[in-house]
Amino acid sequence: MGCNIYLEIQRLINYAIDKKLISEEDEVYSRNLVLDVLGLDDYKEVEISEDAPESPTEILENILAWSYENHILEYNSPVYRDLLDTKIMDCFMPRPSEIRKRFYEDYSENPIKATDYYYELSKSSNYIRTSRIKKNVVWKTETEFGALDITINLSKPEKDPKAIAAAKNIKSTSYPKCLLCKENEGYSGRINHPARQNHRVIPVKLRGEEWFFQYSPYVYYNEHSIIFKGEHEPMRISKKTFDRILEFTEKFPHYFIGSNADLPIVGGSILSHDHFQGGNYEFPMAKAPVIFGYEIDNYPKVQLGIVKWPMSVIRLKGKEKDDIAKLAEHILNSWRNYSDEDLDIISHTQDTPHNTITPIARKRGELFELDLVLRNNRTSEDYSYGIFHPHHEVHHIKKENIGLIEVMGLAVLPPRLKDELDILEKYLLNPSQDIEGERDLEKHIDWFKDIQKNYDDINEDNIKEILRKEVGRKFETVLQHAGVFKNNEMGKQGIIRFLEGINC
């Protein structure tokens, strides 16, 4: 027996009022919008005694089930369900101008008040799908570089066979040009582009240019935000990058902000649209100490230090953001043309550049802090994925690019790992069983044998902790592979040589 659709509509209206998406004065108007989306031309009053729920997920699931039974929803598959429930939630969304007005009214009192309002709105509207994010498996692993954050990402919807098949027959379009363009705000979506009717963005001026601030729909950490350029322009690390992110920390001192590198392999998944990521979270790298300092003669007001981290991080700190940005530009230009063949660092292959930087900015009281992570994307016959990329021996855990989030110490690991770790548990607890027949575990065999050899007592009480610790150690190795100057004496002398060249 299907649900009472009028009951579910009223429950959703009560939820929207409780979360202040709409006021009681908007109830009839919003109800009629929902009725239209669901193809209903009448309504039956219902009595509800329960309190409004904290999440709209269960209500939307019931409405989607009814929609499929009544042929409103063509396919009961993830992409089609997301397209419809986003359209339903838009019935309760304020206009962009209203949200922006409220944001900047709150901002005039306190930037934290503004971001708190906007983040809660983004969750309440189901733009950030908190019910999915709760599925992620999250833990920390202690290492010599501090506690690393580990996440098995289960929040992104799986590939939808129905949508993949249907996408072959749809007309090609370049609107919006990409997933980050401002034209996504309010866009109804299609089977190969997510619906964004419940999406709102906040304009932010950076160095006099039009940028926009939004939250990621798949938050990997607290208030995971994306700051993207108003124009669809490719990523390019330059002094303008440093100027922009330092200014952002001045406007939002409770947020860090960073940029993916601007080259393939060491960059992010979207290089075609200039953007940053930020948020209200302190990453492991931000907690890492400086192990030695170095003075740059022409920049006496800027402290420079090398960070104790598996990757190669130069930390700049000072009161004057312009001085920091100028020194960062000097370091960037020097690094772009720097080679040290003894350490496999080669800046160019003919005209193809390999060296770039992943920058991260934050505010520490009155001081600005800018971390510059040195990157190189060169490949070789032995390392076809990248010399400074996760090597083959860790691909069973992580083989994807090491972007900004991983650089800062948060592993975003593939969903397959959850089931694979569960199966590994079974075999580690029952060593008499033969693991060789498990095709999905072939990639883990050497690791499995190492764990057996390294732990004398593996039991029900400690098995999960053992596997999580070992996954964390693999991620530590991943970061070490991505470091251009290794954490050894050769690496230390190498980065000192680089700094000496800057000081000339």
Side-chain angles (χ1 to χ4, degrees), residues 93-101 185-186 199-203:
M93 289 298 294
R95 296 279 183 173
S97 59
E98 297 173 59
I99 292 173
R100 295 171 185 183
K101 181 174 182 290
E185 185 178 43
H199 176 44
R200 301 292 183 266
V201 299
I202 304 294

Side-chain angles (χ1 to χ4, degrees), residues 319-377:
K319 287 187 176 181
E320 301 297 329
K321 65 181 187 297
D322 291 341
D323 287 347
I324 293 175
K326 287 175 184 175
L327 177 52
E329 179 188 31
H330 182 45
I331 293 170
L332 172 65
N333 291 338
S334 299
W335 175 245
R336 285 204 188 276
N337 295 293
Y338 183 80
S339 293
D340 187 334
E341 294 193 18
D342 289 341
L343 300 178
D344 274 332
I345 301 169
I346 296 174
S347 67
H348 290 78
T349 300
Q350 298 177 340
D351 294 330
T352 301
H354 297 304
N355 288 353
T356 186
I357 277 175
T358 300
I360 302 103
R362 62 188 75 88
K363 198 97 186 295
R364 303 279 196 190
E366 294 183 355
L367 298 179
F368 293 94
E369 193 171 271
L370 181 64
D371 286 350
L372 304 175
V373 187
L374 306 179
R375 313 296 303 274
N376 177 288
N377 77 341

Side-chain angles (χ1 to χ4, degrees), residues 23-272:
S23 69
E24 291 184 2
E25 295 172 287
D26 301 319
E27 179 171 349
V28 172
Y29 175 78
S30 297
R31 177 198 299 147
N32 285 334
L33 291 177
V34 176
L35 292 175
D36 182 57
V37 169
L38 298 178
L40 296 168
D41 54 14
D42 67 347
Y43 184 73
K44 296 176 183 177
E45 295 286 346
V46 291
E47 291 290 330
I48 297 179
S49 56
E50 66 182 36
D51 293 334
E54 276 302 304
S55 166
T57 302
E58 184 218 342
I59 302 170
L60 290 171
E61 291 286 337
N62 292 340
I63 292 175
L64 291 171
W66 177 91
S67 299
Y68 181 64
E69 290 170 6
N70 289 273
H71 311 294
I72 306 299
L73 183 62
E74 184 178 2
Y75 295 113
N76 194 26
S77 64
V79 167
Y80 288 88
R81 291 168 67 85
D82 285 0
L83 288 170
L84 181 56
D85 71 11
T86 304
K87 190 173 185 179
I88 292 168
M89 288 307 299
D90 185 42
C91 299
F92 305 101
M93 289 298 294
R95 296 279 183 173
S97 59
E98 297 173 59
I99 292 173
R100 295 171 185 183
K101 181 174 182 290
R102 166 71 186 275
F103 181 90
Y104 278 107
E105 284 174 353
D106 289 347
Y107 181 88
S108 66
E109 295 182 36
N110 188 326
I112 296 175
K113 184 178 180 182
T115 53
D116 282 352
Y117 155 70
Y118 183 42
Y119 192 53
E120 288 305 313
L121 174 81
S122 299
K123 291 188 292 184
S124 298
S125 66
N126 210 40
Y127 167 71
I128 297 174
R129 294 177 181 264
T130 54
S131 60
R132 290 181 183 171
I133 292 158
K134 287 177 182 176
K135 296 176 183 178
N136 290 345
V137 181
V138 178
W139 72 90
K140 292 179 183 289
T141 297
E142 288 293 338
T143 72
E144 68 169 297
F145 303 100
L148 299 180
D149 293 329
I150 313 295
T151 296
I152 298 178
N153 176 27
L154 303 175
S155 59
K156 286 190 177 182
E158 297 179 5
K159 299 292 185 184
D160 184 341
K162 294 287 187 184
I164 292 170
K168 297 175 182 177
N169 302 317
I170 67 169
K171 182 181 177 182
S172 177
T173 176
S174 59
Y175 182 87
K177 289 181 180 177
C178 77
L179 291 170
L180 292 179
C181 284
K182 62 186 178 184
E183 289 80 13
N184 282 281
E185 185 178 43
Y187 186 62
S188 63
R190 51 187 191 269
I191 53 179
N192 61 353
H193 191 106
R196 290 289 183 256
Q197 288 111 315
N198 58 350
H199 176 44
R200 301 292 183 266
V201 299
I202 304 294
V204 178
K205 287 287 184 184
L206 296 178
R207 306 302 288 182
E209 301 171 323
E210 182 184 61
W211 286 69
F212 290 90
F213 168 50
Q214 68 174 63
Y215 289 108
S216 168
Y218 305 107
V219 293
Y220 293 131
Y221 52 86
N222 188 47
E223 296 176 47
H224 181 181
S225 50
I226 299 171
I227 300 91
F228 63 94
K229 197 168 189 181
E231 297 300 318
H232 181 80
E233 296 176 1
M235 305 255 324
R236 173 68 180 167
I237 302 297
S238 68
K239 181 176 181 293
K240 287 183 178 180
T241 306
F242 310 137
D243 286 332
R244 290 162 181 157
I245 63 177
L246 287 165
E247 183 179 354
F248 184 87
T249 66
E250 193 171 40
K251 291 176 182 287
F252 299 93
H254 58 302
Y255 273 25
F256 84 90
I257 182 172
S259 174
N260 270 303
D262 54 355
L263 294 178
I265 297 176
V266 295
S269 57
I270 300 178
L271 295 176
S272 61

Side-chain angles (χ1 to χ4, degrees), residues 420-434:
E420 290 170 4
L421 292 177
D422 288 343
I423 301 170
L424 278 169
E425 265 190 44
K426 181 182 74 173
Y427 283 100
L428 285 167
L429 290 171
N430 298 279
S432 61
Q433 293 186 14
D434 184 13

